[in-house]
Structure formats: structure tokens, C-alpha cells
Amino acid sequence: MSLDGAVERREDPPAGNGNGNGAVAVALPTGRPTYGDRRLRLNPNTEHKPERYDDLETEFDPSIFSSLERHLPPTMLEVPRDAKVQFMKEILARYLPEGERTRVQRHKEYRQKIMSAYQPLHSDLYNMEPTTFFMPPFIKAINDNTEESFRSIMSEPSPGVYTFAMLQPNFCELLLEEVENFEKWVNAVKFKIMRPNTMNKYGAVLDDFGLEPMLSKLMEEFICPMSKVFFPEVGGSTLDSHHGFVVEYGKDKDLDLGFHVDDSEITLNVCLGKQFSGGELFFRGVRCDKHVNSDTQPEEILDYSHVPGQAILHRGRHRHGARATTSGHRINLLLWCRSSVFREMKKYQKDFSSWCGECQREKKERQRHSVAATKLAFLRSGGSII
Ligand SMILES: O=C(O)CCC(=O)C(=O)O
Ligand SMILES: [Fe+2]
């Protein structure tokens, strides 16, 4: 897809073939008290620390329960965990269409199949170990946890695009070996894997072969502190799920990546290596759905060259693409971070001038017009402007 064409929306591929259309009535469990008459709070109780639900055997992602808990009516916060779970399951069953439930269930089975057979090469990668994963200045900045400390390790080559040295070379090496090992296994057992999203033929979803808990920690403990500060208007303070994957470019792999927006609120993109030329990212301004194909303003143009170990953090709605990797082999780690609260609120909003460049431009234009019209009316009425 060229820059002249429409911007694509890059999404994870659907698992299974659930149709995902239309809501259907879902039977509620019988024989137990239900809490269907109680209403959720519209705004989350951000002071409340939700329980963890990682141990739950349901078709829903455990993070959904933790997020939903903040919306429980105050009296429900006091009841035992089991009762909270039942209440939340009833709500989810009412709102999640059957097609989506089937899709979630199939994806879960797909992951279980991989996890029961795949033997990790480097088990150290599966537990978050900051001192072996990250560069010391990055760890210090996160520990200090202030805007100043983050900015001290970052560049902001264009508004809303942050770059910083993040991963240690040895960690990049181990992760590359793990991905290679996973792909070898996939080929050996002829397993049909799902690619990271709709625009890549190569690459792998890290969450699918056991790295999900480690990536959740990465998001919660290392990305959220920064996104709270730099991207609060797009859900940066309420990130609650992620999609973690690697993309691979080179001869016999994907060459480039068309102009698109990510299915994320915040995207972390870190180059893992290896040796390559080309593959630059190009950015062309942040846009809401309505303005996704609007013109780029000159000040929105940014080209960025990847450096192994170096991270780039941007809004998912920041339009971008990757130029051809002209030689060698380039592999990048991508973490699409999402906020269910932001997505829900967005449904009821029309003006995105706090982050969409085109909404902002239109708003300024309207303000200019209204000031000019007021001046004119004033002059016509015989007044004078000092
Ligand atoms: O190739 C890259 O570095 C960009 C990847 C990207 O934008 C994506 O996967 O959404
Ligand atoms: Fe992207």
C-alpha cells in the first residue's frame, strides 16, 4: 500500500471462523443467586485495587475481570471473590456476542495446543528479570518514575513519538534465538500458526507460546508509567491488555509494511536486530477514524531509522509504515497496548481534538472564523477595536 492509498487498519487475525455478528441471548447459570439487578458504575473506581483473576478457567481474558471490577457497584466490592466472579460472568455473557465467544474459545484452545507441546529454548525469558532485560538507565528512569526521569533518557523527534535505549544486546539475542526455535518447531511439527496480524505473512505472536505473562508485566510495570505521563488522553493511564509479537523482514520474508494505524492505544516497537539496511519507519500524524485518510501537514512528517535495542513509543493512531528492508534481516518486537476503558468511552465521543491532528486543525479553524466574525460584527455595529 503506497502513501497515496488509504490507510489500513492493522489488526490481529481472527481465530477460528466465528461470525462475530449480532448479539444473541445467552443462558445464565441456574440454581445460584444472580445479581442482574445491580448496575455497574459508569466511571471506574480508580482508587480500588482489583483482585487478580489469572487462575480463572473461562473464555474471557483474566484482565477483563480486573478492569471490570473497578466498575462494580460499591456494595459488590465487599462480597467474596467468587460472587464477584459470578456477577461479572453474567455481565460478560450478556454483552459478548456468541461469535466473539467462539473466537475467544478457539484461540484459547490454539494456545493450549502450542503450550502443551512447545519446549522453550531459553526459560529465563519467560520471567521478567529487569536487570538482565533492560539497559540500566532505562531501569533507573522507570524507578524514579517522573516525567523528568523519562525525558532524561528519551528523544522526541516529532510530537508524540518517543525513542530511547531499552533492551540489552544479550536479551535481544536470546529472544531472537527463542523465536527461531519456535519457528523451527512449527515447521517440524507442521503446525499451522497464526501470523501476528492482517498485514504480515511472517513473524510470530509471542503471547501464543508462553510469553504473555512476561509481556503483561512489561506493559504494566514499564510501559504504563510512561504512557500515563505522555499519552493520558488516549487511555495511557488505563492500559489493560496487549498483543505482543515479532515482525520479520528481509529476503524471503516481508519486505516492507504499508501505511497503517495499529489496533492499539499505545505501541511499543523495539528493534531486536539483526544486521540490515533500510526498514525505516515513516510517520504522518495522528488521526481519529473519521480523519484517517486526511492530508498530512508538513510538520507531521517524520522518518526514523531502527537501531537494535532502541525502542520507539507512539500512539496506535499515529499513521505510519515501514520502508523496504533492502538487505539483511530485520526483526522487531511489537507490543500493542490497549485500554478497554478508552475504547468504551470513545464510542460516545465525537471530538478528538486532544489527540487527532485533523480534529485539532478543524477546531482552530472554527475558532479563527468565530473571532473574525465577532470582530466584523463589532465593526459593523459602529464599535472600534483598541
Ligand atoms: O516494521 C516495523 O518496525 C513497524 C511494525 C509496525 O508498525 C506494526 O507491526 O504495527
Ligand atoms: Fe504499526
Side-chain angles (χ1 to χ4, degrees):
M1 177 76 48
S2 80
L3 252 182
D4 306 314
V7 179
E8 286 195 50
R9 182 176 167 87
R10 201 152 143 66
E11 293 175 332
D12 341 358
N17 51 9
N19 61 29
N21 298 322
V24 290
V26 178
L28 297 177
T30 52
R32 292 213 240 151
T34 65
Y35 300 93
D37 57 327
R38 307 206 189 162
R39 300 180 58 173
L40 290 176
R41 310 163 53 117
L42 182 59
N43 296 315
N45 176 349
T46 47
E47 319 256 279
H48 175 71
K49 193 164 167 22
E51 311 209 32
R52 291 198 74 99
Y53 294 96
D54 303 301
D55 56 316
L56 287 189
E57 288 289 319
T58 78
E59 67 265 51
F60 305 109
D61 190 282
S63 65
I64 294 180
F65 287 89
S66 298
S67 297
L68 194 56
E69 191 180 315
R70 290 210 162 105
H71 289 264
L72 290 183
T75 49
M76 283 299 297
L77 292 179
E78 319 289 319
V79 305
R81 183 172 177 271
D82 277 1
K84 277 192 259 185
V85 168
Q86 197 205 335
F87 178 65
M88 291 193 277
K89 275 189 187 166
E90 286 174 16
I91 301 223
L92 291 169
R94 263 187 277 149
Y95 289 101
L96 202 58
E98 198 180 56
E100 179 61 9
R101 287 158 66 90
T102 315
R103 189 190 76 82
V104 171
Q105 184 57 29
R106 290 214 177 142
H107 193 224
K108 212 169 155 193
E109 284 163 14
Y110 165 82
R111 267 193 193 171
Q112 276 164 355
K113 231 189 234 173
I114 296 179
M115 306 265 284
S116 62
Y118 174 64
Q119 277 299 319
L121 178 68
H122 298 299
S123 52
D124 290 354
L125 290 175
Y126 291 73
N127 291 313
M128 165 62 66
E129 189 35 78
T131 52
T132 57
F133 286 22
F134 304 127
M135 301 299 279
F138 174 73
I139 301 180
K140 179 167 182 341
I142 298 295
N143 286 342
D144 291 353
N145 199 16
T146 61
E147 176 169 352
E148 207 185 358
S149 69
F150 303 145
R151 287 202 185 269
S152 74
I153 57 158
M154 285 174 162
S155 302
E156 189 179 3
S158 174
V161 178
Y162 301 93
T163 68
F164 47 94
M166 183 180 183
L167 298 180
Q168 292 209 16
N170 187 50
F171 173 82
C172 295
E173 191 55 41
L174 296 185
L175 189 54
L176 287 173
E177 284 174 13
E178 189 69 45
V179 170
E180 214 172 289
N181 186 58
F182 175 65
E183 287 174 343
K184 264 198 200 137
W185 173 81
V186 165
N187 288 331
V189 301
K190 301 200 168 41
F191 194 87
K192 195 169 167 344
I193 59 163
M194 282 161 58
R195 294 302 174 185
N197 52 58
T198 47
M199 288 171 75
N200 287 89
K201 288 200 206 65
Y202 296 87
V205 179
L206 302 177
D207 295 316
D208 285 344
F209 64 92
L211 286 162
E212 188 185 22
M214 183 280 274
L215 292 174
S216 288
K217 273 203 153 178
L218 171 60
M219 184 183 82
E220 284 162 21
E221 294 172 18
F222 296 88
I223 304 306
C224 286
M226 292 188 287
S227 63
K228 255 183 206 159
V229 170
F230 297 118
F231 305 113
E233 71 301 325
V234 291
S237 11
T238 49
L239 299 178
D240 54 13
S241 69
H242 73 263
H243 178 52
F245 57 97
V246 288
V247 285
E248 297 183 43
Y249 304 88
K251 203 155 77 66
D252 306 327
K253 301 269 179 193
D254 288 317
L255 260 191
D256 57 8
L257 185 63
F259 194 35
H260 67 279
V261 290
D262 298 338
D263 183 9
S264 71
E265 272 60 76
I266 313 293
T267 294
L268 172 79
N269 179 348
V270 201
C271 184
L272 299 174
K274 301 178 174 179
Q275 304 247 313
F276 59 90
S277 40
E280 299 83 4
L281 287 181
F282 54 90
F283 285 88
R284 297 293 184 266
V286 186
R287 294 292 186 273
C288 65
D289 287 340
K290 181 174 152 205
H291 295 129
V292 73
N293 286 312
S294 68
D295 290 346
T296 301
Q297 303 302 318
E299 64 277 13
E300 293 179 312
I301 296 179
L302 168 70
D303 278 32
Y304 167 81
S305 300
H306 281 298
V307 176
Q310 181 101 4
I312 176 159
L313 192 68
H314 60 84
R315 292 181 185 84
R317 302 292 315 190
H318 207 136
R319 301 178 300 177
H320 61 285
R323 300 196 196 287
T325 294
T326 46
S327 71
H329 191 187
R330 174 168 79 83
I331 305 177
N332 279 54
L333 162 66
L334 272 296
L335 192 66
W336 285 357
C337 307
R338 295 167 176 157
S339 160
S340 50
V341 174
F342 175 75
R343 288 182 181 212
E344 195 52 37
M345 311 268 268
K346 205 171 142 207
K347 292 182 192 161
Y348 307 99
Q349 295 168 354
K350 284 207 183 77
D351 172 42
F352 301 108
S353 54
S354 64
W355 51 271
C356 166
E358 189 61 17
C359 284
Q360 242 157 47
R361 214 183 54 78
E362 286 182 359
K363 190 173 174 181
K364 276 198 195 130
E365 193 68 4
R366 280 196 303 275
Q367 283 169 343
R368 251 177 11 91
H369 269 109
S370 114
V371 170
T374 312
K375 271 188 191 165
L376 195 64
F378 184 68
L379 289 174
R380 281 195 179 139
S381 71
S384 61
I385 295 174
I386 306 161

